[in-house]
Amino acid sequence: MPHVAKICIYPIKSLDGIEVMQAKVLESAALEGDRQFAIFDEQGKYVNAKCYEKIHLLRSKFYLANKIISLQVEDGDTEESFDIESEKQHLEAWLSNFFGFNVTLQENLITGFPDDTVSPGPTIVSTATLKEVASWYSELTEEAIRRRMRTTIEIDGVPAFWEDKLFSENGSMINFKIGNLHFVGVNPCQRCIVPTRNAVTGKVNCDFQKIFINKRRETLPGWVNKSRFNHYYKLAVNTRLASKKLENQVIKIGDEITLL
């Protein structure tokens, strides 16, 4: 039976994620705490991994209950902790010093700061898919691929690419449930430059995308609607809530996934 195996949220966009046993689903469909904060430059643009590969060098630990974040530069000796509410200016100064230009930290409690603002629900992938993708690269592990893909819901009890059942032809969405929550699968997630980099060092694997595209094409299940693949650099599924009338607002480890 397809079921939730991992839930991972990323409290600050582009920084390290944390695994949780359950997550509240907001009316926007976002998971509470996921991409709740984002770093911006003076022009109001994201300071994220798409634009600044240096951000991969930041190691972060986030303590949700009291909004404490600890930051350390990879291979650095010093770890510093900040209370985001009472020490926000000190945190921004630390980050500004790291990046070499002024930045601010902003918060959005309604939708967070997702890449896909139209479908801001959980991004879904299967454990078997991550294992399969890792097998395409001699130097990468399942965990390395997991850190590169940065999805929020990981499902098990299914074969590789089972999550591709959660989208259909253009404009046609697939209804499914996670536990008692009714979602719709919208589209396969288009990947960016971030998965081509080592999630810890930022070093680029120049062949990553080429290998990925070729192997994704080769292993695409026969039942998948290829009209959704104008290119094959896509993995995981973007979702929305089918209704804002939430029966049970929490997704938990072990919740079953049911196609409707």
Side-chain angles (χ1 to χ4, degrees):
M1 176 67 69
H3 63 273
V4 176
K6 287 182 184 291
I7 305 170
C8 192
I9 62 174
Y10 301 84
I12 299 182
K13 191 176 181 72
S14 289
L15 297 192
D16 293 333
I18 56 173
E19 286 191 35
V20 295
M21 295 300 295
Q22 63 180 39
K24 180 180 178 181
V25 180
L26 305 176
E27 286 192 6
S28 64
L31 298 186
E32 184 177 49
D34 186 50
R35 279 81 170 185
Q36 181 174 330
F37 297 91
I39 305 168
F40 291 85
D41 65 16
E42 291 182 297
Q43 287 71 49
K45 296 181 180 179
Y46 283 130
V47 177
N48 59 20
K50 290 182 182 179
C51 303
Y52 297 94
E53 61 185 53
K54 185 179 181 181
I55 204 169
H56 291 288
L57 297 175
L58 279 181
R59 301 279 66 78
S60 60
K61 299 174 185 175
F62 202 95
Y63 304 93
L64 290 172
N66 48 15
K67 288 189 178 179
I68 299 291
I69 184 170
S70 294
L71 293 171
Q72 183 176 5
V73 179
E74 181 68 19
D75 294 331
D77 298 325
T78 305
E79 181 179 89
E80 297 195 44
S81 297
F82 305 89
D83 182 312
I84 290 184
E85 293 185 345
S86 65
E87 299 179 300
K88 184 168 177 282
Q89 289 185 334
H90 295 298
L91 172 57
E92 290 172 337
W94 192 96
L95 290 168
S96 296
N97 182 64
F98 172 78
F99 287 109
F101 54 87
N102 291 332
V103 303
T104 57
L105 188 70
Q106 298 182 28
E107 182 178 22
N108 186 323
L109 293 170
I110 299 173
T111 62
F113 296 96
D115 285 340
D116 189 336
T117 57
V118 177
S119 302
T123 48
I124 299 178
V125 75
S126 70
T127 304
T129 294
L130 298 178
K131 289 179 180 178
E132 172 65 21
V133 174
S135 75
W136 300 344
Y137 305 92
S138 60
E139 75 283 8
L140 295 182
T141 64
E142 175 190 332
E143 180 58 25
I145 294 297
R146 180 177 288 114
R147 294 189 69 169
R148 290 178 185 227
M149 296 301 167
R150 300 174 64 84
T151 56
T152 49
I153 300 291
E154 187 175 320
I155 59 176
D156 207 351
V158 294
F161 310 116
W162 182 91
E163 65 276 9
D164 288 344
K165 293 178 180 285
L166 301 180
F167 59 83
S168 186
E169 297 178 4
N170 290 330
S172 177
M173 292 179 284
I174 299 296
N175 289 270
F176 68 99
K177 281 188 173 183
I178 302 178
N180 291 323
L181 277 171
H182 188 178
F183 287 90
V184 291
V186 182
N187 56 270
C189 182
Q190 179 168 294
R191 312 314 305 194
C192 62
I193 192 173
V194 173
T196 70
R197 302 198 198 109
N198 184 303
V200 175
T201 67
K203 182 180 179 181
V204 175
N205 179 339
C206 297
D207 294 325
F208 183 92
Q209 188 172 346
K210 180 180 178 181
I211 292 170
F212 186 99
I213 289 171
N214 288 336
K215 296 298 290 186
R216 184 72 160 118
R217 182 189 297 112
E218 291 174 12
T219 58
L220 194 72
W223 42 260
V224 172
N225 192 301
K226 292 184 179 180
S227 68
R228 307 307 300 271
F229 288 85
N230 55 327
H231 61 78
Y232 290 89
Y233 192 47
K234 297 182 179 184
L235 194 77
V237 179
N238 293 331
T239 69
R240 304 176 197 161
L241 276 171
S243 170
K244 292 185 179 180
K245 295 180 180 179
L246 303 181
E247 300 172 42
N248 177 2
Q249 298 186 47
V250 174
I251 292 176
K252 305 182 298 296
I253 298 295
D255 278 351
E256 293 183 357
I257 317 293
T258 309
L259 292 174
L260 302 178

